[in-house]
């Protein structure tokens, strides 16, 4: 008995020992950072039916990303980002088997649809010719993957074995495969022999050739406009003559049908015209789609008896029209989706009964402008009463895709345009008028030199903020109707927002503190400027016009009909509403831009067009009488960097004087990378104190430019680096690395340049730091001139970089007091924050007379990248492209935004948060203690006065 | 002036009162006016400082012989500080003013018994004795006082003066010696001591001469010291019957020259003539 009690107590004791143990700083996760994970515009989609409770949709995007999202909410379950240079050809899915075929059929992978794990991978790299192209792949009922490329036919088992490998090129005498049709185990291949202008067909059963034959091709025969209908007929469309050519496999020649025979024409075919066949059609009926134009489409049927074509149903709409189908047992239902941008309507056509099903027709309102639907994937199912139900995933031109329920409701929408960002920029927003005052006072307090005055202004601004908050809360209580979703904007006094321009023409404004979407715009005609060195960029500028500031986005137009030149978008940065009185199209192409400032605020942009003429944007801005502009343009093709000088002639026109040019040896070198110094950077110390107490002055040229060129000789890869002054064109420094390549844009900050090279000899990446000094005397003490002749002392040191560097940047803070960190973005999606002091060059002994050498923080040649320096912990960024940095309100912190497919924002504190109270700071305790002290001092002082008087008198 | 001031902020009035009280020549009627105004209008704002204002009212009203105000202010003070010696002393001063010297002495004796270290009361008692012409009593009290408060230089000076009145020059010299020890750089003490020494007689003329010259080193244009030098050295010369070329003679001549220069520089012609006559008188 006693023993059992003892056991019971021991058990209780042991249970008490198990307490929750949490990882360090778990409460900090997501507190200062946000992470947006995207998939990309939808290309393939499947409804995953294996989970009855937790249904999912498998999606493959145009960015070679495979992902699974929940059917209920569209949340990401798993995501696999495949190689960008190996686009996904197709995705096959059947009953928990998920196969991707990538890179023109070279790589076949099987994935677990539940977890997204890779099950196997078959790669046939090296054995294919380069002109190999992917044709078709099937996953048939016997669970075999049949993969056809232009010259090869392969059978894979779902277990990952290559069963059969047929080289069609050898067997078929130079013919190239272009079509395949599969029905259970039998397949039919179509091959085209360009020499004999004939179409060869092969019928196979279990990869054994059963029959074959040759049909003579017609004149304008094009492989891509042919279909194999019903396993026995070939239908081709000749777009030039607008004729159909039909042949059964037994025949040797095509029979011609004109559109007039079909009672459609006479009509000219457009670019969009084509014929398509659905996988579902080929099994049941000899029918196919004929797309005449974007809003007129047909379903045609082939009569096997006489090879005649008849129209089954014609679909037409005033707006964009999309046809797609699904099969449920033997019912093939063709959906027609029409959209006039505000309403989507779905009609269902029963192909078996050749009639519309009116009960399934829905119309739903779109609450946003997304362009026309691009793709749609339906899923048919039986509802409880054996009636047919369906769900459709529709993807739109702006990259978003939505799930539409049969109830006429959009369940969810995923906005995927952010996966491909062209340009991004931080801007500062001030929401209300009071907050503008607040921010300006705060700014004044930051810039005022008198600390007492600064403190007073700080307190004053806080008082204004508190007053506004009280007023705001009062307003909410008195008039709750005004209180709406924009509360968030009102609460945050100074907002820093990030503007993103995506490749699909969508512009987003995201609050950089919380990651909330403030507004977005869809501009189908906007793309980035094609810069020859970097990928596309747009000009994003916030200009301070009265009464409110305007956000200007300038980009290239992708449609000459809409705008031949530059698309300009001017919106209110707070709401995203268009500002009136601004042109939407500029007739010139921009080659360079400079912002014009007044009192430290950007008021206009000077744009240089390709004819070296200056345009001022907005054109209502009146120039200062003596405006002088220095610009330079770089042409990667000719390798010429030209400096320009513009001065006003008293009126509003500019006089153009080419001032300098720097020509790279074009045959030897190719401009690959360049970086420009941010001239608005705030610098705290203009000198460095050495250990012998002497001072070494930094070379702080604000007009520096770094060019990195590579040798054109493939056998002798070389990296050349040039440091130029942008105003005078003076070559300040140059050096070269043999056996190297460079892929990451260099960093220019203060007096140093950091760049990366790939050392091809040692097969590693190297990080090189150059520091520029004026010497022991200061030359440009009061004013800076680029024309002063300064001998720049350059110190350098290189380090081994243990990782695959994709991009890098440097932190910047409000006043530049905080030491700088270099943020390195690696290929695995990690961001490392590396203190600059770790990679400083050694000061040579001649400069410092100190007996002991200058202390170096990093004695090893390898950069110490400990994993504690990863600022995005496990939130990695796939296909990292760029890191943006902007100073935050506090001196110690700066906002870091990195984007690739994903977007990640965090706050980096290079010197820890020295001007911030700790998170667990006891506000109540300190206020309580202060109050007690105050009361005690008041009471004590009165008591002491009383006692003193008594002492004096008694 | 006072009307404008009185209508302004009480702080200014209070400030003016303090300035007035610090003056050497106090205008007691102004003080009384200001203090009365403060007490009637701003007694609350003054806080604990109000009692000092009442005290100034007491002293000023006594000076103006307005005993009604004195008694009312004293009643306020004694109500607030019933056991206060300071108030008792003020009452004593009132009695003094009224001429009840015997009662006052009894009162002061009472206070002295209870609080032997009360300086105010002891000093008042000495003044009462002095005013009654009881110099011996005053000297006795003062000696008693100084045995307790040896650092009170003003008391030493007062004692010295009392001794001089009683022609007790030896004790007066002792008092001045104490003062010289406490403040050796003050020429006034030296001057007084030199004069006492000169008066004491020929045995002390040497030290008188020393102290006159010390005065002249501390304050070279001291007329009184220059005359003292002339008198002392003539006296010494007369006593020792030395010839006219001695160093004493040179000292006298130097003092005469210096005096003449000083008188001439002052521009006072009658003064110069009188000096000439005086010097001629000395020479005879």
């Amino acid at each position: 008995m006693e023993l059992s009690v003892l056991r019971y107590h021991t058990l209780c004791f042991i249970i008490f020992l198990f307490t929750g143990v949490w990882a360090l700083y778990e409460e900090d996760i997501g507190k200062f950072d946000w992470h947006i994970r995207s998939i990309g515009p939808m290309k393939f989609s499947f409804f995953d039916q294996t989970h009855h409770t937790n249904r999912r949709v498998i999606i493959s995007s145009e960015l070679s990303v495979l992902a699974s999202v929940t059917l209920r909410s569209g949340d990401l379950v798993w995501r696999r980002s495949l190689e960008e240079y190996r686009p996904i050809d197709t995705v096959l899915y059947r009953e928990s088997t998920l196969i991707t075929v990538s890179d023109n059929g070279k790589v076949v992978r099987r994935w677990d649809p539940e977890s997204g794990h890779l099950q196997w991978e078959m790669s046939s790299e090296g054995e294919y010719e380069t002109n190999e192209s992917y044709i078709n792949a099937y996953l048939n009922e016997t669970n075999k993957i049949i993969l056809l490329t232009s010259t090869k036919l392969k059978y894979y088992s779902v277990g990952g074995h290559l069963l059969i490998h047929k080289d069609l090129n050898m067997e078929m005498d130079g013919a190239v495969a272009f079509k395949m049709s599969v029905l259970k185990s039998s397949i039919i291949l179509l091959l085209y022999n360009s020499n004999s202008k004939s179409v060869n067909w092969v019928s196979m059963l279990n990869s054994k050739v059963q029959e074959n034959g040759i049909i003579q091709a017609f004149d304008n025969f094009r492989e891509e406009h042919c279909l194999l209908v019903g396993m026995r007929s070939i239908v081709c469309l000749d777009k030039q003559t607008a004729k159909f050519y039909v042949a059964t496999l037994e025949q040797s020649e095509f029979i011609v049908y004109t559109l007039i025979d079909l009672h459609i024409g006479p009509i000219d075919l457009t670019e969009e015209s084509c014929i398509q066949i659905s996988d579902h059609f080929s099994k049941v009926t000899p029918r196919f789609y004929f797309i005449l134009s974007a809003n007129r489409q047909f379903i045609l049927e082939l009569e096997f008896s006489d090879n005649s074509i008849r129209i089954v149903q014609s679909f037409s709409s005033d707006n964009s029209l999309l046809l797609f189908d699904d099969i449920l047992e033997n019912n093939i239902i063709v959906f027609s989706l029409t959209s006039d941008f505000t309403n989507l309507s779905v009609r269902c056509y029963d192909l078996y009964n050749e009639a519309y099903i009116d009960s399934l027709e829905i119309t739903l309102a779109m609450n946003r402008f997304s362009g026309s639907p691009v793709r749609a994937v339906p899923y048919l199912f039986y509802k409880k009463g054996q009636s047919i139900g369906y769900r459709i995933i529709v993807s739109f031109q702006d990259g978003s895709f939505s799930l539409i329920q049969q109830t006429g409701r959009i369940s969810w929408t995923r906005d995927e345009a952010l996966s491909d960002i062209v340009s991004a920029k931080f801007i500062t927003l001030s929401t209300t008028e009071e907050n503008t005052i607040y921010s300006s006072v705060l700014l004044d307090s930051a810039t005022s030199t008198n600390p007492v005055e600064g403190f007073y202004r700080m307190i004053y601004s806080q008082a204004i903020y508190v007053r506004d908050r009280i007023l705001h809360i009062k307003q909410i209580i008195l008039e709750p109707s005004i209180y709406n979703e924009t509360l968030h904007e009102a609460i945050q006094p100074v907002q820093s927002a990030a503007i993103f321009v995506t490749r699909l023409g969508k512009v987003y404004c995201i609050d950089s503190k919380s990651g909330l979407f403030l507004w977005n715009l869809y501009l189908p005609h906007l793309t980035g400027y094609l810069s020859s060195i970097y990928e596309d960029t747009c000009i994003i500028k916030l200009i301070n016009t009265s009464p409110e500031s305007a956000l200007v986005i300038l980009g290239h137009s992708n449609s000459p009909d809409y705008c031949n030149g530059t698309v300009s978008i001017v919106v209110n940065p707070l709401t995203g509403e268009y500002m009136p009185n601004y042109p939407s199209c500029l007739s010139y192409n921009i080659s360079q831009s400079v912002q014009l400032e007044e009192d430290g605020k950007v008021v206009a942009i000077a744009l240089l067009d390709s004819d070296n003429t200056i345009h001022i944007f907005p054109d209502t801005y009146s120039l200062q009488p003596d405006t002088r502009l220095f610009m330079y343009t770089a042409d990667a093709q000719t390798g010429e960097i030209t400096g320009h000088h513009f001065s006003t002639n008293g009126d509003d026109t500019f006089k153009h004087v080419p001032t300098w040019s720097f020509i790279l040896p074009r045959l030897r070198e190719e401009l690959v990378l360049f970086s420009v110094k941010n001239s608005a950077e705030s610098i705290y110390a203009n000198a460095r104190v050495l250990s012998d107490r002497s001072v070494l002055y930094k070379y702080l040229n604000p007009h520096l430019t770094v060019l990195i060129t590579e040798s054109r000789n493939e056998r002798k890869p070389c990296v050349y680096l040039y440091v130029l002054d942008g105003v005078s064109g003076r070559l300040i420094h140059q050096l070269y690395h043999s056996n190297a390549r460079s892929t990451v844009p260099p960093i220019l900050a203060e007096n140093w340049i950091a760049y990366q090279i790939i050392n091809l000899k040692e097969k590693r990446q190297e990080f090189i730091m150059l520091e520029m000094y004026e010497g022991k005397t200061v030359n440009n003490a009061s004013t800076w001139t680029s024309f002063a002749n300064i001998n720049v002392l350059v110190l350098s040191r290189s380090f081994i970089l243990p990782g695959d560097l994709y991009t890098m940047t440097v932190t910047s803070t409000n006043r530049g007091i905080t030491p700088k960190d270099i943020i390195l973005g690696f290929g695995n999606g990690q961001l490392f924050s590396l203190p600059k002091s770790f990679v400083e060059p050694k000061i040579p002994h001649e400069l410092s007379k100190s007996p002991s050498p200058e202390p170096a923080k990093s004695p090893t040649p390898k950069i110490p990248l400990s994993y504690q320096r990863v600022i995005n912990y496990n939130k990695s960024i796939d296909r990292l492209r760029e890191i943006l940095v902007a100073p935050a309100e506090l001196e110690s912190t700066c906002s870091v935004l990195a984007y690739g497919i994903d977007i990640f924002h965090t706050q980096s504190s290079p010197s820890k948060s020295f001007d911030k109270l700790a998170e667990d700071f006891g506000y109540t305790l300190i206020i309580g203690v202060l109050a007690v002290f105050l009361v005690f001092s008041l009471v004590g002082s009165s008591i002491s006065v009383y006692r003193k008087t008594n002492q004096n008198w008694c | 002036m006072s009307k404008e001031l009185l209508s302004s902020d009480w702080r200014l009035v209070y400030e003016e009162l303090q300035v007035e009280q610090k003056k050497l020549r106090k205008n007691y009627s102004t003080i009384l006016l200001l203090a009365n105004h403060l007490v009637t209008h701003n007694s609350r704002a003054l806080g604990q400082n109000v009692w000092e204002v009442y005290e100034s009212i007491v002293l000023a009203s006594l000076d103006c012989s307005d005993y009604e105000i004195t008694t009312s202010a004293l009643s306020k003070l004694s109500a607030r500080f019933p056991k206060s010696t300071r108030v008792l002393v003020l009452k004593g001063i009132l009695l003094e003013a009224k001429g009840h010297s015997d009662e006052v002495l009894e009162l002061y004796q009472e206070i002295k018994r209870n609080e032997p270290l009360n300086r105010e009361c002891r000093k008042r008692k000495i003044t009462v004795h002095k005013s009654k012409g009881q110099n011996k009593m005053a000297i006795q009290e003062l000696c008693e006082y100084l045995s307790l408060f040896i650092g009170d230089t003003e008391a030493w000076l007062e004692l010295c003066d009392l001794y001089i009145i009683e022609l007790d020059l030896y004790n007066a010299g002792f008092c001045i010696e104490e003062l010289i020890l406490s403040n050796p750089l003050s020429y006034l003490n030296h001057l007084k001591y030199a004069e006492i020494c000169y008066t004491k007689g020929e045995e002390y003329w040497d030290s008188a001469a020393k102290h006159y010259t010390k005065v002249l080193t501390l304050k070279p244009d001291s007329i009184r010291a220059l005359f003292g030098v002339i008198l002392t050295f003539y006296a010494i010369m007369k006593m020792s019957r030395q010839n006219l070329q001695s160093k004493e003679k040179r000292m006298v001549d130097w003092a005469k020259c210096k005096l003449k220069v000083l008188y001439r520089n002052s521009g006072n012609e009658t003064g110069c003539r009188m000096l000439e006559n005086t010097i001629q008188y000395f020479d005879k």
Side-chain angles (χ1 to χ4, degrees), chain B residues 188-203:
Chain B
L188 286 169
N189 294 336
H190 286 287
L191 189 60
K192 194 155 194 164
Y193 188 67
E195 280 163 359
I196 287 167
C197 286
Y198 178 75
T199 321
K200 271 200 259 181
E202 55 192 39
E203 289 166 41

Side-chain angles (χ1 to χ4, degrees), chain B residues 8-22:
Chain B
S8 64
D9 190 25
W10 69 271
R11 282 184 196 82
L12 292 176
V13 182
Y14 187 62
E15 219 168 83
E16 183 65 32
L17 176 68
Q18 281 174 328
V19 168
E20 200 66 37
Q21 278 181 328
K22 274 176 194 160

